[in-house]
Amino acid sequence: MQFDEERSGAARLTEPLNRLPLRDQAVGVLRDMVVTGALRGGERINEAELAARLGISRGPLREAIQRLGAEGFVEFRLNRGAFVRTMSPEQIRHLYEVRELIEVRAAELAAARASETGIGRLREMLQVTDELLSQGSDAAYPPELDLHELVLEMADNSELRRIGSDLQNQVKLARMTAGRAPDRARQALAEHREILSAITARDSRRANRAMRKHLRASFAQLFPLGAAETDLGARPSDAAR
Amino acid sequence: MQFDEERSGAARLTEPLNRLPLRDQAVGVLRDMVVTGALRGGERINEAELAARLGISRGPLREAIQRLGAEGFVEFRLNRGAFVRTMSPEQIRHLYEVRELIEVRAAELAAARASETGIGRLREMLQVTDELLSQGSDAAYPPELDLHELVLEMADNSELRRIGSDLQNQVKLARMTAGRAPDRARQALAEHREILSAITARDSRRANRAMRKHLRASFAQLFPLGAAETDLGARPSDAAR
DNA sequence: AGATAGCAAACTGTTGACAGATGAGTGCCA
DNA sequence: TGGCACTCATCTGTCAACAGTTTGCTATCT
């Protein structure tokens, strides 16, 4: 999100040819710490201690914390510093409402707009998905393969991608505060398969329905009851262009 | 966005009872400087000079710049610092695509969900709008009255509001880079009136259409040609709940 | 004259230290 | 024994200075 070279995954404190500013490395590490629970919801961030732990000084760390703040990972209290954000069930419901809006449209656009090379990448992922499905239920994607990020990219709209990635982060935070839920990996894979299949077939309507179904199931898993509260309707829209 | 007390408008470097951290005051000032053109697109931000101009040191200023970065107002280059972001015509098109998605839904939800007191506030704004319409064409809303923010608030979804406000900022940036366009104030007021009327009547379909029409006209003004490129369809959706 | 290597100024990235605020703990008083 | 004021350690907010990089300029060589 800041430099070309930055990747969203676990940024190590190593040194590439052009080592990134400590601030940017810290952003990556902090994001990971929040979504993995190394920093727990509601916990106060002790700057001096954390800086020492990362082996940097408070300056770059404070800059990183500001970024986390803008991304919704932490909140600030006057003269008390930063606290890891917790999301209320209502906020999580709101989040999934917006996520559905964004990602369903992304799936539609991906089906309508994806380039040939893009379709190729989707096919690869589809193949990986099928292999995982044929294997055991403890299957998991390799970490660099993320269906939602891929769909957002295929949609070919820089702003949609920016917002979508932001929401992906929020979802990770929501999963932390809501606590780990029962294993849904296998089910999710099957839903992914349907999404991928629809997009590679360039079928916007089917992509719409498949993504919507997937997201609602994902939400229902977080809150087994009351999932039907959001009634946004599943009407497909005409494809763009 | 960071503390309760922060307001989005022109934050002065004064001191309330609990004076905000310099960093937060700087965020407000910098946002204003970008959207008013005091800092021009593409311009490099000289930290030492700007800090001196604001009467603060580089520390808090750098933290503020990080926030601006996360908000999309500035971009970073390694060892070159921060530069005020410019948006390409394509990025602006993308922005308006997403804005339509978000704000049209917000208008629908506002019509469906707005509380009685919320409807009251909308009626007030409707009245102000009518007064302005009956006056000269140089009429303008008082700065604290923003239809789009109000609609986002009425939609009663914290995440939708967060994303929507973010997009509002992007739009301001887009207006700067696209340059001031011909006077559309009067036309915009009429469109606002239709939106307000629809929401206070709790008519989601009409609110949908009115907001969509308004946003497309707003986009067309920035790019008089090629506005029809985004063909997202104007189908109304069922109201939520 | 044009190109190139070296130098110096300017600026970012980073650090450590100071000042003010917060809140937990302590002792005093009713 | 319960409540309250005070004290003090801890931590955030802020600043000033140091270090490494980038870039424009100058001088030299071809």
Side-chain angles (χ1 to χ4, degrees), chain A residues 25-44:
Chain A
Q25 302 181 50
V27 168
V29 172
L30 290 185
R31 271 201 286 247
D32 280 359
M33 290 179 79
V34 171
V35 302
T36 61
L39 287 174
R40 271 173 308 198
E43 185 176 346
R44 176 183 187 164

Side-chain angles (χ1 to χ4, degrees), chain A:
Chain A
M1 200 178 273
Q2 36 246 57
F3 290 120
D4 304 339
E5 305 134 62
E6 206 224 348
R7 57 247 169 273
S8 57
R12 283 172 241 41
L13 282 174
T14 82
E15 43 168 328
L17 271 67
N18 264 354
R19 111 179 178 295
L20 288 174
L22 300 182
R23 167 227 319 158
D24 294 323
Q25 302 181 50
V27 168
V29 172
L30 290 185
R31 271 201 286 247
D32 280 359
M33 290 179 79
V34 171
V35 302
T36 61
L39 287 174
R40 271 173 308 198
E43 185 176 346
R44 176 183 187 164
I45 292 181
N46 184 325
E47 295 179 1
E49 180 203 320
L50 188 53
R53 189 131 55 99
L54 297 181
I56 63 180
S57 68
R58 285 178 56 216
L61 176 60
R62 282 175 63 88
E63 293 178 28
I65 290 175
Q66 283 307 307
R67 271 204 110 87
L68 276 273
E71 292 173 8
F73 282 110
V74 302
E75 292 172 327
F76 298 90
R77 293 191 226 166
L78 194 54
N79 286 325
R80 301 283 335 273
F83 294 75
V84 178
R85 183 174 166 216
T86 61
M87 297 181 78
S88 70
E90 167 129 5
Q91 284 176 319
I92 295 178
R93 189 169 57 75
H94 289 170
L95 170 61
Y96 270 80
E97 259 187 48
V98 179
R99 192 188 177 198
E100 181 171 321
L101 190 64
I102 294 289
E103 294 207 37
V104 164
R105 171 59 53 90
E108 283 179 8
L109 292 178
R113 295 179 177 176
S115 64
E116 274 311 313
T117 66
I119 295 283
R121 290 176 62 191
L122 291 167
R123 284 224 173 83
E124 280 178 45
M125 185 162 192
L126 182 56
Q127 192 177 340
V128 172
T129 303
D130 280 337
E131 284 167 14
L132 290 175
L133 272 172
S134 68
Q135 292 172 11
S137 68
D138 54 352
Y141 281 119
E144 77 280 6
L145 213 58
D146 184 320
L147 173 108
H148 295 279
E149 287 290 348
L150 187 55
V151 170
L152 285 168
E153 201 179 325
M154 298 294 103
D156 196 34
N157 177 316
S158 55
E159 196 65 19
L160 196 70
R161 188 173 203 285
R162 202 178 71 90
I163 302 290
S165 294
D166 186 279
L167 291 176
Q168 290 294 112
N169 281 334
Q170 301 294 314
V171 167
K172 288 175 193 161
L173 185 66
R175 287 222 186 89
M176 278 315 297
T177 71
R180 266 276 154 269
D183 185 24
R184 215 182 74 84
R186 193 161 186 79
Q187 179 61 30
L189 273 181
E191 290 163 11
H192 280 189
R193 197 195 187 291
E194 175 61 14
I195 295 168
L196 289 165
S197 160
I199 297 177
T200 53
R202 294 198 176 285
D203 186 336
S204 280
R205 282 179 65 114
R206 222 177 100 215
N208 174 314
R209 285 195 302 266
M211 179 62 86
R212 194 180 306 273
K213 190 179 165 198
H214 174 53
L215 293 176
R216 295 204 173 181
S218 172
F219 177 67
Q221 166 220 21
L222 287 179
F223 295 102
L225 12 144
E229 242 179 308
T230 61
D231 176 18
L232 297 173
R235 76 271 173 262
S237 75
D238 10 357
R241 288 191 189 162

